Amino acid sequence: MNHLLAARIAAGFAMLGVAYGAFGAHGLRVQLEANHSMETWKTAVLYHLIHSVAMYVLAVTRGSLRAWTLFGAGVLLFSGSLYALALWPDLRWLGPVTPLGGVLFIGGWATLMIKKAEEKGK
């Protein structure tokens, strides 16, 4: 994948994060409050936005596409499963998906840490 496409995808992820945040605060407020899941929704949006920005920075600085991919998959699995669980709490089978997304986030940050350590050693 080229970095221009990666930047566009990351910007799209960030745009969706903002939209989901606004939609949760306004359009879905009643449902999320009825499900007692507003905090779950907010957590999904927070991680979604943080990692979308990280993806964008990696793309425009021509950083690690491996970390970019791990962050993107993490957004889909971590935030995606939390969004679904916030709306449909009976989908309990999604519970184990969330930590997998978290592991992908950790893997992305570890990739960046290791890459910087290797660069410093050169």
Side-chain angles (χ1 to χ4, degrees), residues 51-85:
H51 289 90
S52 295
V53 170
M55 290 169 65
Y56 186 79
V57 169
L58 287 169
V60 299
T61 62
R62 299 187 173 274
S64 169
L65 284 178
R66 177 177 290 151
W68 183 95
T69 302
L70 290 166
F71 289 156
V75 168
L76 294 174
L77 293 180
F78 182 88
S79 295
S81 64
L82 288 181
Y83 291 135
L85 286 166

mmCIF file of all heavy atoms in Angstrom, residues 51-85:
data_model
loop_
_atom_site.group_PDB
_atom_site.id
_atom_site.type_symbol
_atom_site.label_atom_id
_atom_site.label_comp_id
_atom_site.label_asym_id
_atom_site.label_seq_id
_atom_site.Cartn_x
_atom_site.Cartn_y
_atom_site.Cartn_z
ATOM 1 N N HIS A 51 -6.016 6.241 17.613
ATOM 2 C CA HIS A 51 -5.276 5.387 16.694
ATOM 3 C C HIS A 51 -5.461 5.805 15.235
ATOM 4 O O HIS A 51 -4.580 5.572 14.409
ATOM 5 C CB HIS A 51 -5.598 3.920 16.961
ATOM 6 C CG HIS A 51 -4.994 3.475 18.254
ATOM 7 N ND1 HIS A 51 -5.670 3.578 19.455
ATOM 8 C CD2 HIS A 51 -3.759 3.013 18.552
ATOM 9 C CE1 HIS A 51 -4.876 3.181 20.427
ATOM 10 N NE2 HIS A 51 -3.708 2.832 19.902
ATOM 11 N N SER A 52 -6.549 6.474 14.921
ATOM 12 C CA SER A 52 -6.709 7.038 13.576
ATOM 13 C C SER A 52 -5.697 8.153 13.352
ATOM 14 O O SER A 52 -5.094 8.252 12.274
ATOM 15 C CB SER A 52 -8.132 7.582 13.387
ATOM 16 O OG SER A 52 -9.079 6.541 13.444
ATOM 17 N N VAL A 53 -5.507 8.996 14.358
ATOM 18 C CA VAL A 53 -4.507 10.065 14.246
ATOM 19 C C VAL A 53 -3.106 9.460 14.123
ATOM 20 O O VAL A 53 -2.296 9.902 13.300
ATOM 21 C CB VAL A 53 -4.601 11.047 15.438
ATOM 22 C CG1 VAL A 53 -3.422 12.008 15.457
ATOM 23 C CG2 VAL A 53 -5.919 11.812 15.384
ATOM 24 N N ALA A 54 -2.833 8.435 14.923
ATOM 25 C CA ALA A 54 -1.526 7.769 14.826
ATOM 26 C C ALA A 54 -1.335 7.189 13.423
ATOM 27 O O ALA A 54 -0.238 7.300 12.845
ATOM 28 C CB ALA A 54 -1.402 6.673 15.884
ATOM 29 N N MET A 55 -2.374 6.601 12.867
ATOM 30 C CA MET A 55 -2.293 6.056 11.513
ATOM 31 C C MET A 55 -2.001 7.159 10.500
ATOM 32 O O MET A 55 -1.181 6.979 9.590
ATOM 33 C CB MET A 55 -3.605 5.354 11.137
ATOM 34 C CG MET A 55 -3.863 4.064 11.877
ATOM 35 S SD MET A 55 -5.557 3.457 11.624
ATOM 36 C CE MET A 55 -5.522 3.098 9.865
ATOM 37 N N TYR A 56 -2.651 8.292 10.660
ATOM 38 C CA TYR A 56 -2.442 9.401 9.733
ATOM 39 C C TYR A 56 -1.000 9.907 9.809
ATOM 40 O O TYR A 56 -0.353 10.123 8.786
ATOM 41 C CB TYR A 56 -3.437 10.529 10.023
ATOM 42 C CG TYR A 56 -3.364 11.630 8.995
ATOM 43 C CD1 TYR A 56 -3.988 11.482 7.756
ATOM 44 C CD2 TYR A 56 -2.662 12.794 9.241
ATOM 45 C CE1 TYR A 56 -3.903 12.477 6.798
ATOM 46 C CE2 TYR A 56 -2.571 13.791 8.291
ATOM 47 C CZ TYR A 56 -3.196 13.631 7.069
ATOM 48 O OH TYR A 56 -3.104 14.613 6.115
ATOM 49 N N VAL A 57 -0.509 10.075 11.018
ATOM 50 C CA VAL A 57 0.877 10.538 11.202
ATOM 51 C C VAL A 57 1.850 9.552 10.572
ATOM 52 O O VAL A 57 2.797 9.950 9.881
ATOM 53 C CB VAL A 57 1.186 10.773 12.696
ATOM 54 C CG1 VAL A 57 2.676 10.979 12.927
ATOM 55 C CG2 VAL A 57 0.384 11.956 13.227
ATOM 56 N N LEU A 58 1.625 8.274 10.790
ATOM 57 C CA LEU A 58 2.509 7.270 10.185
ATOM 58 C C LEU A 58 2.468 7.352 8.661
ATOM 59 O O LEU A 58 3.498 7.223 7.995
ATOM 60 C CB LEU A 58 2.121 5.863 10.647
ATOM 61 C CG LEU A 58 2.483 5.515 12.081
ATOM 62 C CD1 LEU A 58 1.813 4.212 12.494
ATOM 63 C CD2 LEU A 58 3.997 5.425 12.250
ATOM 64 N N ALA A 59 1.289 7.582 8.120
ATOM 65 C CA ALA A 59 1.156 7.635 6.664
ATOM 66 C C ALA A 59 1.860 8.860 6.087
ATOM 67 O O ALA A 59 2.622 8.744 5.116
ATOM 68 C CB ALA A 59 -0.313 7.627 6.269
ATOM 69 N N VAL A 60 1.636 10.035 6.674
ATOM 70 C CA VAL A 60 2.199 11.252 6.076
ATOM 71 C C VAL A 60 3.699 11.391 6.340
ATOM 72 O O VAL A 60 4.385 12.095 5.606
ATOM 73 C CB VAL A 60 1.440 12.536 6.504
ATOM 74 C CG1 VAL A 60 -0.019 12.464 6.068
ATOM 75 C CG2 VAL A 60 1.561 12.795 7.982
ATOM 76 N N THR A 61 4.207 10.723 7.365
ATOM 77 C CA THR A 61 5.656 10.774 7.627
ATOM 78 C C THR A 61 6.378 9.577 7.022
ATOM 79 O O THR A 61 7.579 9.411 7.248
ATOM 80 C CB THR A 61 5.936 10.816 9.143
ATOM 81 O OG1 THR A 61 5.424 9.620 9.752
ATOM 82 C CG2 THR A 61 5.329 12.043 9.787
ATOM 83 N N ARG A 62 5.633 8.763 6.292
ATOM 84 C CA ARG A 62 6.186 7.546 5.697
ATOM 85 C C ARG A 62 6.786 6.633 6.763
ATOM 86 O O ARG A 62 7.852 6.066 6.608
ATOM 87 C CB ARG A 62 7.197 7.866 4.603
ATOM 88 C CG ARG A 62 6.606 8.646 3.464
ATOM 89 C CD ARG A 62 7.574 8.812 2.317
ATOM 90 N NE ARG A 62 6.907 9.434 1.187
ATOM 91 C CZ ARG A 62 6.215 8.788 0.246
ATOM 92 N NH1 ARG A 62 6.084 7.492 0.308
ATOM 93 N NH2 ARG A 62 5.665 9.441 -0.747
ATOM 94 N N GLY A 63 6.035 6.534 7.855
ATOM 95 C CA GLY A 63 6.447 5.678 8.964
ATOM 96 C C GLY A 63 6.098 4.226 8.706
ATOM 97 O O GLY A 63 5.781 3.825 7.578
ATOM 98 N N SER A 64 6.111 3.459 9.748
ATOM 99 C CA SER A 64 5.912 2.018 9.667
ATOM 100 C C SER A 64 4.504 1.647 9.192
ATOM 101 O O SER A 64 3.513 1.928 9.867
ATOM 102 C CB SER A 64 6.155 1.402 11.046
ATOM 103 O OG SER A 64 5.740 0.054 11.068
ATOM 104 N N LEU A 65 4.434 1.006 8.033
ATOM 105 C CA LEU A 65 3.135 0.516 7.563
ATOM 106 C C LEU A 65 2.681 -0.709 8.365
ATOM 107 O O LEU A 65 1.492 -0.989 8.439
ATOM 108 C CB LEU A 65 3.176 0.205 6.066
ATOM 109 C CG LEU A 65 3.138 1.445 5.162
ATOM 110 C CD1 LEU A 65 3.225 1.032 3.698
ATOM 111 C CD2 LEU A 65 1.893 2.279 5.398
ATOM 112 N N ARG A 66 3.627 -1.403 8.982
ATOM 113 C CA ARG A 66 3.251 -2.520 9.849
ATOM 114 C C ARG A 66 2.475 -1.995 11.056
ATOM 115 O O ARG A 66 1.414 -2.513 11.392
ATOM 116 C CB ARG A 66 4.483 -3.305 10.300
ATOM 117 C CG ARG A 66 4.102 -4.439 11.272
ATOM 118 C CD ARG A 66 5.292 -5.263 11.680
ATOM 119 N NE ARG A 66 5.731 -6.027 10.518
ATOM 120 C CZ ARG A 66 6.970 -6.415 10.307
ATOM 121 N NH1 ARG A 66 7.914 -6.150 11.183
ATOM 122 N NH2 ARG A 66 7.287 -7.106 9.236
ATOM 123 N N ALA A 67 2.992 -0.952 11.704
ATOM 124 C CA ALA A 67 2.289 -0.355 12.844
ATOM 125 C C ALA A 67 0.954 0.224 12.379
ATOM 126 O O ALA A 67 -0.066 0.082 13.063
ATOM 127 C CB ALA A 67 3.141 0.723 13.508
ATOM 128 N N TRP A 68 0.942 0.865 11.203
ATOM 129 C CA TRP A 68 -0.289 1.427 10.642
ATOM 130 C C TRP A 68 -1.352 0.344 10.503
ATOM 131 O O TRP A 68 -2.502 0.525 10.888
ATOM 132 C CB TRP A 68 0.037 2.051 9.272
ATOM 133 C CG TRP A 68 -1.111 2.736 8.609
ATOM 134 C CD1 TRP A 68 -1.407 4.067 8.656
ATOM 135 C CD2 TRP A 68 -2.117 2.136 7.776
ATOM 136 N NE1 TRP A 68 -2.531 4.319 7.924
ATOM 137 C CE2 TRP A 68 -2.995 3.153 7.365
ATOM 138 C CE3 TRP A 68 -2.365 0.831 7.352
ATOM 139 C CZ2 TRP A 68 -4.084 2.922 6.545
ATOM 140 C CZ3 TRP A 68 -3.457 0.592 6.541
ATOM 141 C CH2 TRP A 68 -4.313 1.628 6.144
ATOM 142 N N THR A 69 -0.944 -0.807 9.983
ATOM 143 C CA THR A 69 -1.871 -1.922 9.783
ATOM 144 C C THR A 69 -2.376 -2.472 11.109
ATOM 145 O O THR A 69 -3.570 -2.769 11.266
ATOM 146 C CB THR A 69 -1.185 -3.036 8.960
ATOM 147 O OG1 THR A 69 -0.770 -2.477 7.712
ATOM 148 C CG2 THR A 69 -2.112 -4.204 8.727
ATOM 149 N N LEU A 70 -1.481 -2.601 12.077
ATOM 150 C CA LEU A 70 -1.889 -3.084 13.403
ATOM 151 C C LEU A 70 -2.882 -2.128 14.049
ATOM 152 O O LEU A 70 -3.884 -2.554 14.636
ATOM 153 C CB LEU A 70 -0.670 -3.293 14.298
ATOM 154 C CG LEU A 70 0.229 -4.475 13.918
ATOM 155 C CD1 LEU A 70 1.575 -4.387 14.634
ATOM 156 C CD2 LEU A 70 -0.467 -5.792 14.224
ATOM 157 N N PHE A 71 -2.635 -0.822 13.929
ATOM 158 C CA PHE A 71 -3.567 0.163 14.488
ATOM 159 C C PHE A 71 -4.925 0.092 13.783
ATOM 160 O O PHE A 71 -5.972 0.146 14.427
ATOM 161 C CB PHE A 71 -3.004 1.581 14.379
ATOM 162 C CG PHE A 71 -1.845 1.871 15.288
ATOM 163 C CD1 PHE A 71 -0.954 2.877 14.973
ATOM 164 C CD2 PHE A 71 -1.638 1.161 16.462
ATOM 165 C CE1 PHE A 71 0.121 3.176 15.811
ATOM 166 C CE2 PHE A 71 -0.567 1.448 17.310
ATOM 167 C CZ PHE A 71 0.305 2.459 16.977
ATOM 168 N N GLY A 72 -4.905 -0.024 12.470
ATOM 169 C CA GLY A 72 -6.166 -0.101 11.725
ATOM 170 C C GLY A 72 -6.982 -1.323 12.105
ATOM 171 O O GLY A 72 -8.198 -1.239 12.333
ATOM 172 N N ALA A 73 -6.314 -2.468 12.193
ATOM 173 C CA ALA A 73 -7.016 -3.696 12.602
ATOM 174 C C ALA A 73 -7.498 -3.565 14.043
ATOM 175 O O ALA A 73 -8.591 -4.041 14.384
ATOM 176 C CB ALA A 73 -6.092 -4.900 12.444
ATOM 177 N N GLY A 74 -6.701 -2.909 14.881
ATOM 178 C CA GLY A 74 -7.114 -2.684 16.273
ATOM 179 C C GLY A 74 -8.363 -1.841 16.352
ATOM 180 O O GLY A 74 -9.275 -2.128 17.147
ATOM 181 N N VAL A 75 -8.445 -0.785 15.543
ATOM 182 C CA VAL A 75 -9.660 0.049 15.521
ATOM 183 C C VAL A 75 -10.866 -0.796 15.135
ATOM 184 O O VAL A 75 -11.921 -0.730 15.782
ATOM 185 C CB VAL A 75 -9.508 1.250 14.556
ATOM 186 C CG1 VAL A 75 -10.847 1.939 14.321
ATOM 187 C CG2 VAL A 75 -8.490 2.250 15.090
ATOM 188 N N LEU A 76 -10.707 -1.591 14.093
ATOM 189 C CA LEU A 76 -11.832 -2.411 13.635
ATOM 190 C C LEU A 76 -12.283 -3.400 14.710
ATOM 191 O O LEU A 76 -13.487 -3.539 14.969
ATOM 192 C CB LEU A 76 -11.474 -3.140 12.346
ATOM 193 C CG LEU A 76 -11.239 -2.239 11.133
ATOM 194 C CD1 LEU A 76 -10.734 -3.062 9.950
ATOM 195 C CD2 LEU A 76 -12.499 -1.471 10.767
ATOM 196 N N LEU A 77 -11.334 -4.085 15.337
ATOM 197 C CA LEU A 77 -11.701 -5.110 16.315
ATOM 198 C C LEU A 77 -12.056 -4.526 17.680
ATOM 199 O O LEU A 77 -13.083 -4.887 18.259
ATOM 200 C CB LEU A 77 -10.583 -6.137 16.460
ATOM 201 C CG LEU A 77 -10.316 -7.007 15.244
ATOM 202 C CD1 LEU A 77 -9.177 -7.980 15.526
ATOM 203 C CD2 LEU A 77 -11.558 -7.757 14.823
ATOM 204 N N PHE A 78 -11.203 -3.635 18.210
ATOM 205 C CA PHE A 78 -11.438 -3.082 19.549
ATOM 206 C C PHE A 78 -12.645 -2.145 19.529
ATOM 207 O O PHE A 78 -13.660 -2.411 20.182
ATOM 208 C CB PHE A 78 -10.188 -2.340 20.041
ATOM 209 C CG PHE A 78 -10.330 -1.785 21.436
ATOM 210 C CD1 PHE A 78 -10.015 -2.565 22.535
ATOM 211 C CD2 PHE A 78 -10.769 -0.488 21.647
ATOM 212 C CE1 PHE A 78 -10.142 -2.058 23.829
ATOM 213 C CE2 PHE A 78 -10.896 0.031 22.924
ATOM 214 C CZ PHE A 78 -10.581 -0.761 24.018
ATOM 215 N N SER A 79 -12.539 -1.075 18.778
ATOM 216 C CA SER A 79 -13.634 -0.104 18.764
ATOM 217 C C SER A 79 -14.886 -0.697 18.129
ATOM 218 O O SER A 79 -15.995 -0.491 18.627
ATOM 219 C CB SER A 79 -13.212 1.172 18.035
ATOM 220 O OG SER A 79 -12.178 1.822 18.747
ATOM 221 N N GLY A 80 -14.697 -1.431 17.052
ATOM 222 C CA GLY A 80 -15.864 -2.032 16.389
ATOM 223 C C GLY A 80 -16.663 -2.940 17.297
ATOM 224 O O GLY A 80 -17.895 -2.885 17.327
ATOM 225 N N SER A 81 -15.966 -3.778 18.063
ATOM 226 C CA SER A 81 -16.697 -4.676 18.968
ATOM 227 C C SER A 81 -17.363 -3.891 20.096
ATOM 228 O O SER A 81 -18.484 -4.219 20.518
ATOM 229 C CB SER A 81 -15.762 -5.751 19.539
ATOM 230 O OG SER A 81 -14.752 -5.178 20.348
ATOM 231 N N LEU A 82 -16.710 -2.829 20.577
ATOM 232 C CA LEU A 82 -17.331 -2.014 21.625
ATOM 233 C C LEU A 82 -18.557 -1.269 21.103
ATOM 234 O O LEU A 82 -19.565 -1.163 21.811
ATOM 235 C CB LEU A 82 -16.327 -1.036 22.229
ATOM 236 C CG LEU A 82 -15.252 -1.641 23.120
ATOM 237 C CD1 LEU A 82 -14.332 -0.541 23.664
ATOM 238 C CD2 LEU A 82 -15.853 -2.438 24.267
ATOM 239 N N TYR A 83 -18.486 -0.746 19.882
ATOM 240 C CA TYR A 83 -19.661 -0.088 19.298
ATOM 241 C C TYR A 83 -20.831 -1.069 19.243
ATOM 242 O O TYR A 83 -21.953 -0.742 19.625
ATOM 243 C CB TYR A 83 -19.374 0.421 17.881
ATOM 244 C CG TYR A 83 -18.412 1.587 17.779
ATOM 245 C CD1 TYR A 83 -17.397 1.588 16.827
ATOM 246 C CD2 TYR A 83 -18.518 2.699 18.610
ATOM 247 C CE1 TYR A 83 -16.519 2.659 16.706
ATOM 248 C CE2 TYR A 83 -17.641 3.768 18.498
ATOM 249 C CZ TYR A 83 -16.639 3.743 17.539
ATOM 250 O OH TYR A 83 -15.778 4.796 17.428
ATOM 251 N N ALA A 84 -20.555 -2.260 18.750
ATOM 252 C CA ALA A 84 -21.618 -3.264 18.633
ATOM 253 C C ALA A 84 -22.168 -3.670 20.000
ATOM 254 O O ALA A 84 -23.387 -3.766 20.182
ATOM 255 C CB ALA A 84 -21.101 -4.483 17.874
ATOM 256 N N LEU A 85 -21.273 -3.876 20.962
ATOM 257 C CA LEU A 85 -21.725 -4.268 22.302
ATOM 258 C C LEU A 85 -22.515 -3.153 22.980
ATOM 259 O O LEU A 85 -23.445 -3.430 23.750
ATOM 260 C CB LEU A 85 -20.534 -4.671 23.172
ATOM 261 C CG LEU A 85 -19.920 -6.024 22.847
ATOM 262 C CD1 LEU A 85 -18.557 -6.177 23.514
ATOM 263 C CD2 LEU A 85 -20.860 -7.143 23.256
#
